[in-house]
Amino acid sequence: MHDWHAPVSLTDKPLAYLSVIPQLSALVQGENNLYANLANVAAALKETFNWWWIGFYLVQQDELVLGPFQGPVACTRIHKGKGVCGAAWEKSQTIVVPDVHQFPGHIACSSQSKSEIVVPIIKDKMVVAVLDADSEFLQHFDETDALYLQKVADIVASLF
Ligand code: SME
């Protein structure tokens, strides 16, 4: 895994994903504890991309509840439809937010966070969790992140 101290450059982004995704598959193989696997996936993504915050919220009844993550402390519960995470859950769609201040209802867990991507984890057509990544840089996430993080979401969905 790379030891990134700066944001991965645009051209390196697909390469970084192509390198880390097989590692994620290998990492979760042979372990059936959901939280252990989510924790390692979050850690591997943090180590590769050095995002401000990366982690999971898990669906429990009508709320998302904070799961394994890397980064500063975060809000523990998010209602369906609320914030970027709740919207991605409700719509069952990936949401890329280039500037969090332009997203109505964005939940600011950290004032440092400036852009965000949320990818739903879908199992049997139901959202069971969301993967959330935050950056301290504006416009940090794009369609490349959406494409590859959906592949990460597929790996994660197989853990549920
Ligand atoms: N910003 C998210 C909340 C979660 S934190 O970013 C870790 C949202 O609007 O749903």
Side-chain angles (χ1 to χ4, degrees):
M1 236 163 275
H2 307 285
D3 184 20
W4 297 111
H5 294 290
V8 174
S9 81
L10 283 180
T11 46
D12 287 344
K13 225 187 232 188
L15 286 179
Y17 279 110
L18 289 171
S19 158
V20 77
I21 285 172
Q23 294 179 50
L24 297 179
S25 297
L27 206 55
V28 299
Q29 242 174 21
E31 173 53 64
N32 64 9
N33 183 276
L34 176 64
Y35 271 71
N37 283 329
L38 292 180
N40 264 343
V41 170
L45 290 173
K46 172 74 179 180
E47 204 177 331
T48 302
F49 295 102
N50 200 22
W51 293 321
W52 179 254
W53 197 92
I54 165 69
F56 297 94
Y57 282 90
L58 283 77
V59 172
Q60 282 183 15
Q61 285 95 41
D62 59 344
E63 287 179 319
L64 290 168
V65 181
L66 184 63
F69 69 95
Q70 296 269 317
V73 294
C75 12
T76 52
R77 288 172 191 270
I78 299 174
H79 278 283
K80 196 170 194 177
K82 299 292 178 196
V84 188
C85 292
W89 174 19
E90 189 169 53
K91 296 188 161 96
S92 209
Q93 270 175 16
T94 295
I95 301 181
V96 178
V97 182
D99 178 353
V100 295
H101 298 299
Q102 305 302 320
F103 188 94
H106 167 257
I107 300 164
C109 293
S110 160
S111 60
Q112 295 293 315
S113 175
K114 294 201 174 64
S115 60
E116 181 164 7
I117 185 169
V118 180
V119 182
I121 313 293
I122 300 171
K123 175 89 173 183
D124 299 331
K125 299 189 177 158
M126 300 284 288
V127 176
V128 290
V130 300
L131 180 161
D132 180 14
D134 288 55
S135 172
E136 68 273 44
F137 304 103
L138 283 169
Q139 299 176 334
H140 193 76
F141 302 103
D142 57 21
E143 288 311 309
T144 301
D145 297 285
L147 177 76
Y148 288 105
L149 285 177
Q150 279 155 18
K151 296 184 194 301
V152 174
D154 289 343
I155 295 169
V156 171
S158 71
L159 306 172
F160 280 78

